Amino acid sequence: RQSARSQVARRALCGCRFLAPPCPMVLASCRSRLALFAALLAALLLASAGEEEPSGEVGDDSWSRLTTDDWQPGRVGEFNTTFPIKDMECLGPETAIRFNAGLDWATVKAALHLSLGQLATDTWLFQVAAKIQRDEPDTCVLGITTTSSFLLPVTMPKFRNMARMLNTDHNLLVLNVTFYDSLRSGFPVFGVLDSLATPKFRAWFATEEGLSFFPSRPTTKACESPAASALRKAVDRGRTSDEPEAWQPPLHLATALISSGEAGLVGGGSGAGWCAPAEAAALLVWALALARRPGTDGPAARAEGGPSGTSEAVRRSVLRDVVELVSRAETLIRSHGWDEGVPFGQLVATPWNLWWLLHRLQLDLPPLVDGIGFEGIGSSSPSAGRQEL
């Protein structure tokens, strides 16, 4: 039974139905995997014919390089049992900021966390983000992505243009970076997306102009069920409260949604009987509740914890569960976007507040991951928090 559960978890983490486990942790679309296979096959044919591989536009295009399966951001110096460890946190020399030797990514991360949705009030951060977009290479992909999205209210003040950019260049789902890697990196990419989902931006999709670009989508009955509505309203109250950090995850509502079956079977429903964003929200609420569980409150507390390393065992167990829950939620979100044809701009404006839940989880994650501290809110080691994978 344990083996079967592992296979199911691996398939959920991969998100590609026809791939047998083990599958890579890098969650990419099946189409991109087929494209990569075709490229590798072409390279082998060229090599067998004794020809040099031609240098085409795809190989020279930074965006295409970033969104292919074989892309390796930053340094790859350590390995776990299966997968290369990538410098998502941008700690190594290959990903360091180049336009200003006295500035590091940890400082930028901290400033971004403090200025979410307040671009106009932080002149220094605006200038830094603009220089990063102008001068920095794409080696620190999450730094480039986060600062670019952070500038969207200035670079694309019209909602139709902002939505269009979110569908294309700012579509987070095309990057070969898992949600968990984004969380532990310290870059507030989810917080930035949530800050873009203002009431006016959400309301724009229902206007005449918005409907001309994004036709109205039918809401499934599962998304309007009593259990789903109760969870959505509880999460929304937390997001709009004056003290969101004091909000307690409604674990009982998330459990009621899943156990009632009103949103469909986890990861297996479709059509009118399935509500992927509701399930994803419930899984993220579970992850938040686990991250705040007593006994997982940081390295100092663990050092003074219970006998025989009880606190450490709890931390590792909880972190493994959090990774699995986040990965399953990611699979549902990606499926909602790709399989159900929801443009990413609309996904950013979802009333399920998925990006806010992910950002709250990022703020609660540091005590669970060795080496993570709130100064910069990112891991200080490329291997921290990966043993549990």
Side-chain angles (χ1 to χ4, degrees):
R1 188 173 65 178
Q2 183 66 26
S3 176
R5 181 186 177 191
S6 299
Q7 291 182 8
V8 170
R10 286 170 180 167
R11 287 195 181 99
L13 292 173
C14 181
C16 296
R17 296 184 180 88
F18 60 85
L19 289 178
C23 59
M25 284 296 296
V26 178
L27 295 175
S29 70
C30 300
R31 291 187 298 272
S32 66
R33 297 187 185 283
L34 292 174
L36 176 62
F37 177 77
L40 291 174
L41 180 60
L44 289 173
L45 291 175
L46 287 173
S48 63
E51 300 174 6
E52 294 184 358
E53 183 177 353
S55 178
E57 292 183 1
V58 172
D60 298 331
D61 179 37
S62 296
W63 184 249
S64 295
R65 177 171 57 84
L66 289 176
T67 54
T68 55
D69 272 0
D70 58 352
W71 166 67
Q72 300 287 317
R75 59 182 168 79
V76 180
E78 299 182 46
F79 293 83
N80 59 12
T81 56
T82 309
F83 309 111
I85 293 177
K86 302 176 182 179
D87 188 15
M88 299 296 182
E89 303 79 15
C90 300
L91 300 171
E94 292 85 353
T95 55
I97 292 176
R98 300 183 183 182
F99 81 89
N100 184 346
L103 181 64
D104 58 22
W105 284 112
T107 302
V108 175
K109 293 177 192 179
L112 286 167
H113 275 280
L114 292 173
S115 301
L116 291 175
Q118 302 176 13
L119 177 60
T121 63
D122 196 331
T123 305
W124 176 84
L125 183 58
F126 174 79
Q127 294 175 346
V128 167
K131 289 180 180 179
I132 287 173
Q133 292 302 306
R134 184 187 65 189
D135 299 332
E136 289 299 307
D138 292 326
T139 50
C140 180
V141 63
L142 290 178
I144 298 297
T145 300
T146 306
T147 51
S148 180
S149 298
F150 181 73
L151 292 172
L152 268 181
V154 172
T155 58
M156 296 290 165
K158 294 183 178 180
F159 290 148
R160 65 172 181 269
N161 293 332
M162 184 185 295
R164 177 176 58 83
M165 291 303 294
L166 286 169
N167 291 345
T168 54
D169 290 353
H170 293 263
N171 187 343
L172 179 67
L173 301 185
V174 303
L175 292 180
N176 290 315
V177 183
T178 67
F179 283 12
Y180 175 67
D181 271 324
S182 297
L183 290 174
R184 66 183 297 282
S185 74
F187 287 104
V189 58
F190 302 120
V192 169
L193 292 177
D194 178 65
S195 69
L196 297 177
T198 62
K200 290 184 178 180
F201 181 63
R202 288 177 168 177
W204 175 82
F205 286 93
T207 64
E208 182 178 354
E209 181 187 48
L211 291 172
S212 67
F213 290 97
F214 300 90
S216 178
R217 301 181 57 83
T219 302
T220 63
K221 293 181 179 179
C223 288
E224 297 178 331
S225 68
S229 298
L231 177 63
R232 186 181 67 249
K233 291 176 181 178
V235 173
D236 193 59
R237 283 195 297 269
R239 182 179 184 266
T240 56
S241 69
D242 295 332
E243 297 181 351
E245 63 278 356
W247 175 78
Q248 294 298 317
L251 183 60
H252 62 294
L253 296 178
T255 303
L257 174 69
I258 298 298
S259 62
S260 68
E262 291 185 15
L265 296 175
V266 175
S270 62
W274 186 41
C275 185
E279 287 191 30
L283 294 174
L284 293 175
V285 166
W286 275 357
L288 270 167
L290 279 172
R292 297 181 180 185
R293 176 177 173 177
T296 59
D297 44 3
R302 292 199 303 273
E304 302 174 1
S308 304
T310 301
S311 294
E312 177 62 16
V314 170
R315 181 197 69 83
R316 288 183 176 274
S317 176
V318 169
L319 183 55
R320 283 193 295 268
D321 289 340
V322 167
V323 171
E324 181 171 352
L325 288 168
V326 170
S327 299
R328 290 189 177 187
E330 177 178 2
T331 300
L332 291 168
I333 293 170
R334 290 178 180 272
S335 176
H336 186 52
W338 291 335
D339 299 340
E340 299 182 40
V342 179
F344 190 68
Q346 282 185 303
L347 199 52
V348 168
T350 176
W352 291 96
N353 298 312
L354 299 170
W355 315 112
W356 181 76
L357 288 171
L358 284 163
H359 181 58
R360 298 313 308 175
L361 182 58
Q362 183 176 48
L363 298 178
D364 288 340
L365 191 64
L368 282 177
V369 182
D370 284 329
I372 287 188
F374 280 96
E375 293 183 2
I377 315 183
S379 174
S380 59
S381 167
S383 61
R386 286 185 174 273
Q387 298 89 339
E388 288 71 21
L389 301 181

